[in-house]
Amino acid sequence: MHRKDLVPEYLKNLQVYQAGKPIDEVVREKGLTRVSKLASNENPLGPSPFAIREMTRGLWDLHRYPDMHAYALKSKLADIYDLKLENIILGNGSEGIMAYIARAFLRPDDEVLTCDNTFIGFYILARSVGAKLNKVPLTEDYRFDVKALAKNITDKTKVIYIANPNNPTGTYITKEEFDYLMEYVPPHVLVILDEAYFEFAQDQEDYPDSMNYRYDNVLTLRTFSKAYGLSGIRVGYGFGHAELIGYLSRVKLPFEPNLIGQLGAVGALEDQPHLDRTLRNNRKRYDELMSFLEERDFSPIKSITNFVTIKTGSSEASDFMFEELLNEGVIIRKLVANEMPEFVRISIGTKDEMKHFFEAFDRILPAYNKRFRKDLV
Ligand SMILES: Cc1ncc(COP(=O)(O)O)c(C=O)c1O
């Protein structure tokens, strides 16, 4: 028996998730001291001090297993969103919950209907259990195409995955579009609404906050990794019908999220001022970034999140921009894995980090224009 026979065919060529380049790696490789990471849509202000206080308190209890039912965290979420505990699932990041979804609901050859150019974590997890992806293109303005999704629902469709807002485009489907789609979705098809960037999006009037709907076949996923500034402790949460949550609980590892994760998340939920500061910084820096890019003849995709995606025009131009900015100590994200090699994504940072980005960008721009935008030179 060969080692390769240990795994099913669909695992042999499965790609591994590529994360944004870590700061330490850039410091090590480039010998730089000033590095700004604008690559993973993290909260540049850091974790809430309340979360840090709670997590520090938890260090003294690390010889104990965490509360398997995560009562404190689930109760808090239940209070905030007016739910029962049995409607809530927690996991090791929202990706952890996506892994439970794949394990519980997807079998080889089941079909997952979604769009191109969305969060590839879900693609990978669906493929890891042998499910097939049926991907329709985004609309011309880089949004999930609900009409194409509705048209492509088949007998085989088991799950529809929608990132709303979408990563890496920062765009969203509206209330009207969500209503339209749900008219076509049969009750046995599961809709995953991935709302990792919900906190940034919630003020848009036509954004369909999934908590205002009560569909038995919709699962909402959210996270503490983005606006709450806790990517490092890996806590995500999901809301849905008690029966669906019950199935997910059967495949879940018993002690996820871990003890520090549970405490940090509770602390974060208690710190509304930190979340407000985060959203204020994001709005201000977003406006500055959009103006900066537009003034330099780029057309950033309008985003309701904490990142902005721009078209470079080619994969060579993206590589050049990425590498040259890296030499300046600024890490952005290439989107090859998202099948958008002619785009790059810039996460919104602090005022200081954005200043670093602006200065670095203006230093590399003449060479970039000379090579890739001859019409502008
Ligand atoms: C749309 C989307 N969903 C989920 C995730 C994963 O989040 P978590 O850290 O909760 O696993 C990300 C992270 O980039 C994302 O962009």
Side-chain angles (χ1 to χ4, degrees):
M1 173 131 159
H2 291 290
R3 274 192 298 274
K4 66 177 168 43
D5 296 327
L6 291 169
V7 296
E9 211 47 49
Y10 51 78
L11 270 193
K12 288 182 186 160
N13 297 317
L14 187 69
Q15 74 183 116
V16 176
Y17 183 78
Q18 302 277 339
K21 211 169 170 58
I23 293 178
D24 285 353
E25 200 175 296
V26 179
V27 169
R28 210 168 49 236
E29 285 174 1
K30 305 271 176 198
L32 294 164
T33 46
R34 185 184 186 201
V35 176
S36 299
K37 185 180 177 209
L38 307 176
S40 300
N41 308 337
E42 297 149 338
N43 182 338
L45 304 188
S48 136
F50 285 30
I52 293 174
R53 185 194 63 202
E54 290 304 302
M55 292 189 287
T56 310
R57 193 167 63 78
L59 295 177
W60 295 99
D61 287 325
L62 281 180
H63 57 306
R64 303 284 178 206
Y65 281 95
D67 173 4
M68 190 179 136
H69 303 292
Y71 180 78
L73 176 52
K74 278 195 189 166
S75 306
K76 209 148 205 90
L77 289 166
D79 278 353
I80 295 172
Y81 293 106
D82 190 21
L83 291 168
K84 299 203 178 95
L85 299 189
E86 67 252 35
N87 296 115
I88 304 173
I89 182 95
L90 301 172
N92 205 15
S94 53
E95 255 197 289
I97 303 172
M98 290 179 205
Y100 309 153
I101 291 170
R103 222 180 283 167
F105 299 123
L106 293 174
R107 299 283 158 274
D109 295 326
D110 281 345
E111 208 170 271
V112 172
L113 178 59
T114 184
C115 278
D116 290 329
N117 319 124
T118 182
F119 180 60
I120 60 162
F122 197 80
Y123 293 171
I124 295 174
L125 287 165
R127 285 180 173 136
S128 76
V129 294
K132 299 272 180 300
L133 293 177
N134 179 9
K135 297 188 285 166
V136 299
L138 295 180
T139 60
E140 270 182 11
D141 53 355
Y142 309 107
R143 296 161 354 91
F144 262 70
D145 188 338
V146 290
K147 285 205 172 119
L149 287 174
K151 248 189 237 149
N152 278 274
I153 297 171
T154 68
D155 290 346
K156 282 196 156 183
T157 309
K158 189 92 171 268
V159 163
I160 301 177
Y161 170 80
I162 300 174
N164 202 37
N166 187 35
N167 173 18
T169 57
T171 54
Y172 65 107
I173 62 165
T174 62
K175 286 177 179 163
E176 208 178 307
E177 287 168 329
F178 181 59
D179 289 341
Y180 171 92
L181 178 66
M182 289 311 288
E183 274 187 32
Y184 289 87
V185 178
H188 65 273
V189 172
L190 202 56
V191 178
I192 311 297
L193 274 187
D194 178 350
E195 297 180 344
Y197 302 94
F198 164 76
E199 294 79 10
F200 299 104
Q202 59 187 314
D203 289 341
Q204 299 290 323
E205 223 173 276
D206 57 349
Y207 172 79
D209 171 353
S210 63
M211 297 312 291
N212 295 332
Y213 301 79
R214 286 287 186 270
Y215 286 108
D216 289 350
N217 58 337
V218 172
L219 266 171
T220 298
L221 300 182
R222 291 191 187 164
T223 183
F224 287 93
S225 297
K226 305 298 176 187
Y228 286 107
L230 290 171
S231 317
I233 56 166
R234 313 298 306 121
V235 187
Y237 53 107
F239 302 129
H241 189 281
E243 194 180 342
L244 296 179
I245 299 296
Y247 296 133
L248 294 176
S249 308
R250 287 174 174 78
V251 299
K252 172 184 177 297
L253 293 179
F255 297 108
E256 284 180 6
N258 67 46
L259 191 149
I260 299 293
Q262 293 184 28
L263 289 169
V266 169
L269 287 173
E270 286 171 352
D271 194 352
Q272 187 62 36
H274 186 69
L275 185 60
D276 293 341
R277 262 194 308 278
T278 300
L279 300 181
R280 260 198 318 274
N281 175 69
N282 194 67
R283 271 192 293 273
K284 199 154 194 299
R285 307 282 92 84
Y286 171 83
D287 289 343
E288 292 164 0
L289 176 60
M290 291 300 272
S291 310
F292 176 89
L293 292 167
E294 279 160 4
E295 280 161 19
R296 283 151 187 79
D297 292 308
F298 287 91
S299 312
I301 302 173
K302 198 161 177 274
S303 161
I304 59 163
T305 63
N306 61 342
F307 57 85
V308 167
T309 288
I310 58 170
K311 193 169 193 167
T312 61
S314 69
S315 120
E316 295 73 36
S318 299
D319 285 348
F320 182 89
M321 190 179 283
F322 174 83
E323 287 300 334
E324 292 300 310
L325 285 173
L326 201 59
N327 289 334
E328 297 277 344
V330 177
I331 317 172
I332 60 165
R333 189 67 166 261
K334 291 197 283 186
L335 300 175
V336 181
N338 305 80
E339 295 171 325
M340 295 177 82
E342 72 282 32
F343 291 80
V344 294
R345 193 189 68 197
I346 303 144
S347 303
I348 290 167
T350 57
K351 188 174 183 189
D352 244 27
E353 287 169 330
M354 295 318 286
K355 185 166 176 279
H356 187 185
F357 171 81
F358 295 148
E359 289 167 1
F361 199 89
D362 274 343
R363 268 196 295 275
I364 71 156
L365 196 56
Y368 177 88
N369 283 344
K370 200 164 162 204
R371 211 156 140 193
F372 300 103
R373 302 201 299 177
K374 291 197 180 68
D375 48 317
L376 288 183
V377 187

